[in-house]
């Protein structure tokens, strides 16, 4: 079974721009969660989608948004980029029943200049 | 706010020794506990999960859970240089929610 895929793998943007990241979960998985990883803060939860609905949201500003499509693929958008948004953005998928294991994709490394 | 605490390390052990990694969590209602391994520049890889008090063994890895003490540990027997990585402890956010709360990780170095 193919793993979680994320595109693009690397991205360079400038302050004020916006960016869209994409995630395709493991086949059959209905839950997709997004995380931001930085050296200082570690792995922080952004939001979780299940059956096209946002089920849970972390403590991030409204510039961070996401959505999930009927095929469970998910996108994450960051508007008005700031230097502090430079990070590794990770997507994880799971069956969606709650409390189960999650499997991570390779991540998208975003650099904001 | 739910928190997961780990010693940042680095934890250095000689090849062949047992590495012991520890984690505490704040939410007494947490039900699911996970250990991930992350090599430098890579994404986290699931090693073990544990739901019940006691020990769970998988090959060279043993996860230990003590809910009364709100403590999770990971033992790596016969440590190899390839085990050198950052180990992340994660706790499920609770209920039907799928988010994980991560510790900041312990960096393990296994010396040949």
């Amino acid at each position: 079974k193919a793993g979680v895929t994320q595109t693009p793998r690397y991205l360079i943007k400038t302050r004020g721009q916006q960016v869209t990241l994409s995630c395709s979960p493991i086949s059959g998985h209905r839950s997709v969660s997004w995380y931001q990883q930085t050296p200082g803060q570690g792995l922080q939860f952004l939001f979780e989608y299940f059956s096209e609905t946002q089920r849970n949201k972390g403590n991030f500003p409204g510039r961070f948004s996401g959505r999930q499509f009927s095929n469970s693929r998910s996108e994450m958008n960051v508007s008005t980029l700031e230097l502090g948004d430079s990070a590794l953005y990770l997507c994880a998928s799971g069956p969606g029943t709650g409390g189960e294991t999650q499997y991570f994709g390779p991540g998208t490394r975003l650099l904001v200049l | 706010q739910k928190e997961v605490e780990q010693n940042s390390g680095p934890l250095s052990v000689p090849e062949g020794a047992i590495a012991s990694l520890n984690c505490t969590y704040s939410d007494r209602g947490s039900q699911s506990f996970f250990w991930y391994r992350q090599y430098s520049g890579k994404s986290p890889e699931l090693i073990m999960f544990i739901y019940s008090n006691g020990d769970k063994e998988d090959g060279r890895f043993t996860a230990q859970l003590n809910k009364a003490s709100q403590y999770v540990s990971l033992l790596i027997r016969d440590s190899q240089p390839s085990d050198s990585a950052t180990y992340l402890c994660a706790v499920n956010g609770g209920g039907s929610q799928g988010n994980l709360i991560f510790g900041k990780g312990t960096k393990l170095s296994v010396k040949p």
Side-chain angles (χ1 to χ4, degrees):
Chain A
K1 193 179 270 192
V4 180
T5 59
Q6 291 187 246
T7 56
R9 294 291 311 279
Y10 303 93
L11 209 48
I12 299 175
K13 293 285 187 179
T14 56
R15 278 184 303 171
Q17 287 187 308
Q18 74 165 17
V19 66
T20 299
L21 312 181
S22 180
C23 170
S24 292
I26 292 170
S27 178
H29 283 187
R30 297 168 66 189
S31 168
V32 173
S33 296
W34 288 89
Y35 297 84
Q36 181 196 66
Q37 187 173 34
T38 58
Q41 297 299 317
L43 262 164
Q44 292 187 290
F45 171 71
L46 281 155
F47 27 66
E48 183 210 2
Y49 286 87
F50 177 78
S51 293
E52 302 178 65
T53 301
Q54 188 180 87
R55 188 160 68 173
N56 195 13
K57 188 177 189 305
N59 190 25
F60 276 82
R63 300 184 297 107
F64 292 82
S65 63
R67 60 178 175 167
Q68 188 180 33
F69 302 96
S70 58
N71 61 357
S72 293
R73 189 178 71 86
S74 177
E75 286 183 348
M76 178 192 132
N77 184 274
V78 188
S79 62
T80 319
L81 285 165
E82 300 177 359
L83 296 179
D85 296 334
S86 295
L88 179 65
Y89 290 89
L90 291 158
C91 163
S93 81
T97 54
E100 77 287 347
T101 54
Q102 294 184 16
Y103 300 90
F104 283 88
T108 295
R109 191 165 295 279
L110 172 65
L111 177 63
V112 181
L113 301 176
Chain B
Q1 178 153 343
K2 300 175 184 178
E3 293 183 342
V4 177
E5 299 285 342
Q6 295 180 255
N7 286 328
S8 61
L11 173 65
S12 184
V13 301
E15 183 174 356
I18 295 175
S20 177
L21 304 161
N22 305 313
C23 170
T24 58
Y25 59 95
S26 64
D27 183 12
R28 190 169 287 278
S30 298
Q31 297 293 322
S32 310
F33 307 88
F34 307 87
W35 283 100
Y36 286 83
R37 176 176 64 197
Q38 187 173 25
Y39 292 112
S40 181
K42 301 293 186 182
S43 64
E45 172 193 9
L46 179 69
I47 299 176
M48 301 238 355
F49 59 89
I50 186 167
Y51 300 147
S52 304
N53 273 332
D55 295 0
K56 180 181 179 183
E57 187 174 316
D58 184 0
R60 295 188 296 113
F61 299 97
T62 299
Q64 299 175 318
L65 174 61
N66 184 325
K67 289 186 178 180
S69 300
Q70 295 175 239
Y71 179 90
V72 191
S73 66
L74 179 70
L75 301 178
I76 306 175
R77 290 182 299 282
D78 187 24
S79 295
Q80 301 297 309
S82 59
D83 295 325
S84 298
T86 296
Y87 289 80
L88 300 165
C89 173
V91 175
N92 186 263
S96 63
Q97 298 170 349
N99 64 294
L100 297 176
I101 302 166
F102 283 85
K104 293 193 175 181
T106 298
K107 189 169 185 177
L108 172 66
S109 177
V110 182
K111 304 294 187 184

